[in-house]
């Protein structure tokens, strides 16, 4: 059972706001990771190093983790935004947040890594900001986890897997493409068009970082730490020194760009940045890990630079031995400069990668697989498009990539809308169904004497009072039982009704029982128009019309039966028949009176024969009957009218029948004569 607050409008709003916040954050986070999987890979390596686990795992593991994380976050985010696989998705989202929040709390406390890398380089947060963000997201994850069903869906269940798979494939392909080439959107300071020198500048008035040097000195076997201010006398021996950051000041986006010639040890940074000509920088953060598949292309490029008077440097953080090895293996003749490892990884993700610079401005970048070859380098760079700054428009790139996702997504939604319209209709019908009364009514017919009837009514009364039904229950008994049964029946749980009433108000009609008399027994319902009365007692539509009016006038609710014979069904005339029966006896009523009518569709060929209409057959005609009511009284009345099925309905077939959107319960003959059988049918509403 759902608590009332879970279905309140306010709570539904809260759930959906949380779901969109959480979903959008996951999508953003997954997308930026997929755009730069190597960035996340380096970050995971930093984490592993910080926790002393780097040696335990082969390099491929953090790389796989990076791609998987991107795919997982993107897919979970899209699932949340679109409301697909709601239960699974909200569990996953909660699990992720339950892992991330304590981890980021630990990071904020101990600071082993300065930024968590949640949003790659796109949005750098401090560790405490990250923790705060995660607390908010964890709260959202808990909210959506409590009542996932409150998330509004934009797709039917049928298309859920298609969209799940598509989201996963999209994120995988994006990550794979960016891995094989370069990030399609560059969030780093070495972006094409950026001036490296400008990136290194500290604005006027910015707070500088304050450093302090500590000296460890020793005297008589005792070690002590000193600063410049209290540096000891010469009786102390120097052991070591360390420089620590006392106060972090403004740090420019580029702060470690220093090129030191391997050959001379000279710092050539300024010389390179001020050079008015072209400079190619071959970036290999570690030569021992660089892909050797492109060495010929690189050597050709170096030759091209020699011939045309352009500068060419290889940059690496590897040891001189490793660089020597690279030279031996590849025949490289180009000069090497030593540079910081992280700076190199930040400049170009590919290893090796290439950067073209002029006057300190980044003109172009290439991954190893994209490096220019003899077909591109057909003349001087000054005359080639390659020598001009590559045009980059991140918004345009984002738009194109977005379209690769959004166009198929819209197509999926469109297909879903067209092909699953029928199902959507059924979903709507099921919502409407929940608005009307579910009823199981028994029609005892001419069975059971007074004692037997009273015994059955007592048994039912006990059983249903102890185990409350999930629907309205009515027993319609012969006249002789009514007054006695009404005395003890708990009418909050079981309603009481007659099987017939007269078409006259009162007077000399020997053997008849009027609606008023029925009402006076304590009964509230009456069955009218049963096929057995129409057939054996020749009750015509006109007679029934009278009976209906008298019953309503006396405050009885009418269970009005309609249904076709076998011949009529075989002649496919069932719709015509039921419509005529409604028109003949109840469609004359005002909408207000019609609201007191319960319709029972009972195909005559199924009554007492053991032959049941299939659930589909029954649903089809029930929907048709409802459409007739809608035509006559409007959709609202139709949606509120209960339509019961009757005809060999048993505990075994009731669940299937009652599950149909237009079947609101049953009118039961034979199976209402035994408490257990009848209870079995009533319990179908609990399934
Ligand atoms: P059975 O359930 O015995 O087929 O009878 C149906 C019926 O006529 C109820 O009014």
């Amino acid at each position: 059972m759902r608590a009332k607050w879970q279905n309140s409008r306010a709570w539904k709003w809260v759930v959906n706001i949380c779901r969109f916040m959480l979903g959008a954050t996951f999508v953003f986070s997954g997308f930026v990771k997929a755009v730069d999987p190597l960035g996340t890979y380096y970050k995971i390596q930093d984490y592993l190093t910080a926790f002393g686990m780097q040696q335990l795992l082969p390099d491929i593991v953090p790389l796989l983790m990076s791609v998987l994380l991107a795919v997982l976050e993107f897919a979970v985010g899209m699932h949340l935004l679109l409301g697909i696989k709601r239960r699974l998705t909200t569990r996953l989202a909660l699990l992720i947040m339950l892992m991330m929040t304590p981890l980021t709390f630990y990071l904020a406390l101990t600071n082993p890594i300065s930024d968590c890398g949640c949003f790659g380089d796109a949005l750098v947060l401090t560790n405490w900001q990250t923790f705060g963000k995660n607390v908010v997201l964890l709260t959202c994850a808990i909210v959506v986890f409590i009542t996932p069903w409150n998330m509004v869906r934009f797709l039917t269940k049928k298309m859920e897997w298609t969209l799940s798979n598509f989201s996963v494939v999209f994120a995988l392909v994006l990550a794979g493409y960016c891995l094989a080439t370069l990030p399609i959107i560059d969030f780093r300071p070495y972006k094409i068009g950026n001036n490296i020198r400008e990136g290194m500048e500290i604005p006027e008035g910015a707070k500088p970082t304050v450093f302090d040097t500590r000296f460890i000195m020793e005297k008589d076997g005792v070690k002590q730490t000193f600063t410049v201010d209290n540096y000891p006398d010469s009786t102390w021996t120097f052991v070591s020194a360390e420089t620590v950051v006392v106060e972090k000041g403004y740090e420019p986006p580029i702060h470690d760009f220093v090129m030191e010639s391997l050959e001379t040890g000279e710092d050539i940074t300024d010389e390179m940045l001020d050079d008015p000509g072209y400079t190619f920088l071959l970036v290999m953060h570690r030569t021992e890990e660089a892909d050797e598949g492109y060495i010929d292309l690189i050597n050709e490029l170096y030759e091209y630079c020699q011939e045309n008077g352009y500068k060419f440097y290889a940059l690496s953080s590897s040891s001189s031995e490793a660089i020597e090895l690279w030279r031996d293996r590849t025949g490289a003749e180009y000069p090497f400069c030593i540079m910081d490892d992280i700076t190199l990884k930040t400049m170009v993700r590919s290893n090796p990668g290439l950067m073209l610079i002029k006057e300190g401005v980044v003109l172009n970048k290439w991954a190893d697989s994209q490096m220019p070859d003899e077909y591109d380098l057909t003349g001087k760079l000054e005359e080639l498009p390659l020598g001009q700054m590559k045009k980059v428009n991140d918004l345009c790139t984002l738009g194109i990539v977005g379209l690769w996702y959004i166009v198929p997504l819209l197509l999926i939604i469109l297909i879903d809308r067209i092909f699953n319209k029928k199902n959507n209709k059924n979903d709507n019908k099921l919502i409407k169904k929940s608005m009307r009364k579910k009823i199981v009514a028994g029609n005892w017919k001419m069975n059971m004497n007074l004692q037997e009837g009273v015994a059955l009514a007592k048994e039912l009364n006990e059983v249903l009072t102890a185990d409350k039904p999930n629907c309205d229950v009515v027993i319609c008994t012969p006249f002789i039982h009514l007054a006695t049964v009404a005395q003890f029946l708990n009418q909050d749980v079981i309603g009481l009704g007659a099987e017939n009433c007269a078409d006259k108000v009162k007077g000399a009609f020997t053997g008849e029982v009027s609606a008023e008399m029925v009402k006076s027994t304590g009964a509230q319902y009456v069955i009218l128009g049963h096929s057995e009365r129409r057939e054996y007692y020749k009750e015509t539509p006109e007679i029934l019309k009278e009976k209906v009016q008298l019953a309503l006038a006396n405050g009885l609710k009418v269970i009005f039966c309609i249904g076709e014979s076998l011949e009529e069904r075989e002649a496919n005339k069932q719709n015509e028949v039921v419509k005529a029966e409604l028109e003949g006896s109840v469609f004359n009523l005002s909408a207000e009176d019609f609201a007191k009518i319960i319709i029972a569709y009972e195909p005559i060929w199924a009554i007492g024969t053991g032959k049941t209409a299939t659930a589909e057959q029954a649903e089809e005609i029930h929907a048709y009957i409802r459409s007739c009511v809608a035509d006559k009284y409007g959709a609202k009345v139709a949606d509120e009218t209960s339509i019961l099925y009757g005809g060999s309905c048993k505990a075994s077939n009731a669940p299937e029948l009652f599950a149909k959107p237009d079947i609101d319960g049953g009118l039961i003959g034979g199976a209402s004569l035994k408490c257990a059988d009848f209870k079995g049918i009533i319990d179908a509403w609990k399934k």
Side-chain angles (χ1 to χ4, degrees):
M1 274 295 275
R2 287 172 191 177
K4 218 172 163 191
W5 61 268
Q6 294 181 333
N7 284 331
S8 70
R9 269 177 85 87
W11 177 251
K12 282 180 190 166
W13 270 100
V14 172
V15 172
N16 281 286
I17 290 171
C18 287
R19 154 265 186 116
F20 283 120
M21 274 170 57
L22 196 60
T25 314
F26 269 107
V27 167
F28 176 64
S29 172
F31 180 78
V32 293
K33 284 192 182 83
V35 161
D36 185 11
L38 275 178
T40 314
Y41 162 68
Y42 296 143
K43 193 47 90 181
I44 296 174
Q45 280 185 326
D46 287 351
Y47 276 106
L48 293 176
T49 312
F51 292 114
M53 291 164 63
Q54 200 192 12
Q55 306 305 327
L56 301 180
L57 302 169
D59 268 1
I60 187 76
V61 177
L63 186 59
L64 278 177
M65 280 162 72
S66 149
V67 174
L68 281 180
L69 197 62
V71 173
L72 180 74
E73 287 188 338
F74 182 79
V76 168
M78 283 318 299
H79 279 51
L80 284 166
L81 291 183
L82 293 163
I84 49 183
K85 302 251 155 258
R86 296 178 297 188
R87 207 167 278 274
L88 176 72
T89 305
T90 49
R91 279 182 195 169
L92 265 177
L94 182 63
L95 193 72
I96 295 173
M97 290 322 301
L98 280 175
M99 284 174 359
M100 288 305 181
T101 314
L103 176 69
T104 47
F105 182 57
Y106 175 75
L107 291 184
L109 282 181
T110 58
N111 225 20
I113 285 168
S114 60
D115 86 279
C116 71
C118 299
F119 301 130
D121 291 304
L123 183 63
V124 178
L125 301 177
T126 66
N127 284 340
W128 280 112
Q129 284 169 338
T130 304
F131 173 65
K133 173 210 76 175
N134 282 352
V135 169
V136 175
L137 293 182
L138 176 63
T139 314
C140 292
I142 293 171
V143 168
V144 292
F145 171 78
I146 296 172
T147 58
W149 61 84
N150 278 333
M151 285 162 56
V152 176
R153 265 210 188 101
F154 296 109
L155 272 183
T156 61
K157 278 187 156 217
K158 274 200 173 164
M159 296 306 264
E160 285 189 338
W161 276 117
T162 316
L163 209 102
S164 281
N165 294 336
F166 174 58
S167 301
V168 169
V169 170
F170 174 83
L172 263 179
V173 170
L174 179 64
Y177 179 79
C178 293
L179 207 53
T181 58
L182 290 178
I184 49 166
I185 300 175
D186 196 346
F187 297 108
R188 287 153 298 143
Y190 299 92
K191 196 180 164 65
I192 292 173
N194 280 11
N195 186 316
I196 295 180
R197 197 180 279 291
E198 279 171 17
M200 293 158 84
E201 277 167 11
I202 299 180
E204 235 175 88
K207 224 170 60 183
T209 300
V210 181
F211 296 97
D212 195 10
T213 306
R214 312 259 159 93
F215 303 93
I216 319 282
M217 313 290 278
E218 193 180 331
K219 185 176 172 181
D220 304 332
V222 180
K223 278 186 187 160
Q224 208 175 313
T225 307
F226 297 90
T227 64
V228 183
D229 299 333
N230 67 349
Y231 200 79
D233 59 32
S234 57
T235 54
W236 289 80
T237 324
F238 173 81
V239 180
S240 64
E242 57 172 8
T243 303
V244 292
V245 174
V246 179
E247 196 187 335
K248 206 165 181 319
Y250 173 83
E251 191 172 75
I254 298 177
H255 46 270
D256 284 326
F257 189 88
V258 180
M259 283 170 67
E260 205 175 85
S261 165
L262 179 70
E263 278 75 25
T264 63
E266 224 181 296
D267 179 345
I268 58 161
T269 317
D270 288 334
E271 184 191 324
M272 198 281 294
L273 290 178
D274 294 338
D275 196 320
Y278 290 103
T279 305
F280 278 102
L281 298 177
L282 178 69
V283 179
M284 291 187 285
H285 71 96
R286 322 241 345 124
T287 50
E288 47 281 49
E289 289 164 19
D291 188 341
E292 286 181 23
Y294 300 91
I295 45 174
D296 291 340
L297 203 60
I298 295 169
N299 290 341
E300 277 168 25
L301 185 67
Y302 178 57
E303 266 171 44
Y304 166 83
C305 290
Q306 295 276 81
E307 282 162 18
N308 291 281
Y310 306 134
K311 298 255 170 61
F312 186 107
Y313 299 101
L315 309 177
S316 179
S317 70
S318 293
S319 65
S320 37
E321 291 77 32
I323 292 174
E324 233 13 81
L325 256 172
W326 171 265
R327 282 188 164 143
D328 288 348
R329 281 202 312 267
T330 65
E333 286 173 6
Y334 35 82
F336 264 84
C337 287
I338 300 301
M339 199 181 240
D340 176 68
D341 189 54
I342 296 177
T343 306
L344 291 168
K345 286 174 182 170
T346 315
M347 286 166 70
V348 186
R349 290 299 194 207
S350 171
N351 187 20
L354 191 67
M355 190 182 252
L356 179 62
I357 291 195
K358 195 177 176 194
E359 285 177 299
V361 175
V362 181
L363 297 187
N364 212 334
K365 282 187 191 189
W366 296 269
D368 46 10
S369 58
Q370 302 167 314
M371 284 190 205
D373 56 18
E374 54 187 311
Y375 301 106
D376 302 309
L377 301 166
T378 48
K380 296 221 42 111
L381 277 179
E382 286 79 355
E383 289 134 29
L384 293 176
L386 209 80
Q388 314 307 312
M389 190 190 301
K390 190 181 170 193
K391 287 197 171 59
V392 255
N393 184 338
D394 289 343
L395 268 182
C396 186
T397 312
L398 189 67
I400 294 170
V401 179
L403 284 180
W404 276 98
Y405 185 79
I406 291 167
V407 171
L409 170 75
L410 290 179
L411 264 175
I412 294 173
I413 294 179
L414 193 74
I415 292 170
D416 184 45
R417 286 284 139 95
I418 296 169
F419 291 100
N420 296 325
K421 206 170 167 190
K422 214 171 134 207
N423 293 347
N424 288 342
K425 265 193 188 163
N426 273 355
D427 282 352
N428 291 340
K429 279 184 165 187
L430 286 171
I431 292 165
K432 286 176 183 162
K433 177 174 180 167
S434 66
M435 289 160 36
R436 43 185 184 261
K437 281 206 161 117
K438 301 172 273 185
I439 304 169
V440 173
N443 175 8
W444 288 6
K445 305 193 179 178
M446 199 175 75
N447 292 297
M448 289 189 287
N449 61 28
L450 180 62
Q451 289 71 30
E452 289 164 343
V454 167
L456 174 59
K458 276 197 172 146
E459 193 183 354
L460 272 172
N461 199 38
E462 253 170 54
V463 170
L464 294 182
T465 303
D467 180 13
K468 293 257 166 16
N470 232 353
C471 60
D472 285 7
V473 175
V474 182
I475 48 172
C476 296
T477 73
F479 295 127
I480 60 148
H481 299 96
L482 291 176
T484 318
V485 170
Q487 301 294 316
F488 61 80
L489 205 63
N490 177 358
Q491 293 213 23
D492 288 337
V493 180
I494 309 178
L496 182 63
E499 297 170 14
N500 184 24
C501 70
D503 59 339
K504 301 287 185 294
V505 179
K506 69 189 289 185
F509 301 100
T510 307
E512 286 296 285
V513 176
S514 71
E516 197 217 325
M517 291 167 169
V518 170
K519 182 73 185 178
S520 71
T521 63
Q524 308 130 335
Y525 294 83
V526 62
I527 298 176
L528 292 174
H530 195 281
S531 58
E532 286 151 14
R533 293 214 59 87
R534 290 182 195 254
E535 190 182 348
Y536 308 138
Y537 303 98
K538 308 291 174 233
E539 292 191 354
T540 61
E542 289 68 36
I543 295 175
L544 291 172
K545 194 168 162 182
E546 288 302 314
K547 291 190 175 190
V548 168
Q549 274 170 350
L550 286 169
L552 292 178
N554 283 284
L556 292 171
K557 288 178 213 148
V558 174
I559 302 175
F560 188 74
C561 303
I562 52 177
E564 79 287 352
S565 66
L566 188 59
E567 302 83 73
E568 288 162 339
R569 166 68 62 167
E570 280 170 353
N572 201 25
K573 287 197 171 144
Q574 62 278 14
N575 288 4
E576 244 172 77
V577 172
V578 293
K579 191 172 183 199
E581 287 175 331
L582 290 169
E583 285 173 341
S585 310
V586 288
F587 274 2
N588 57 304
L589 297 173
S590 67
E592 195 190 333
D593 275 346
F594 187 83
K596 296 167 202 152
I597 303 278
I598 296 156
I599 296 174
Y601 166 70
E602 297 202 319
I604 300 168
W605 47 271
I607 297 178
T609 58
K611 260 198 202 168
T612 337
T614 62
E616 286 69 34
Q617 273 175 330
E619 167 58 21
E620 192 182 341
I621 195 153
H622 275 232
Y624 173 73
I625 294 167
R626 198 177 302 287
S627 74
C628 294
V629 177
D631 287 348
K632 176 74 191 167
Y633 294 104
K636 186 168 179 294
V637 174
D639 287 338
E640 286 168 0
T641 302
S642 298
I643 306 178
L644 315 184
Y645 170 80
S648 299
C649 184
K650 317 181 263 289
S652 56
N653 56 23
E656 198 190 347
L657 284 160
F658 296 177
K660 292 289 173 196
D662 283 295
I663 301 180
D664 306 311
L667 180 56
I668 320 297
S672 70
L673 299 176
K674 278 202 186 120
C675 181
D677 294 349
F678 195 47
K679 171 89 175 14
I681 297 172
I682 292 163
D683 285 347
W685 281 118
K686 291 191 175 169
K687 296 200 169 130

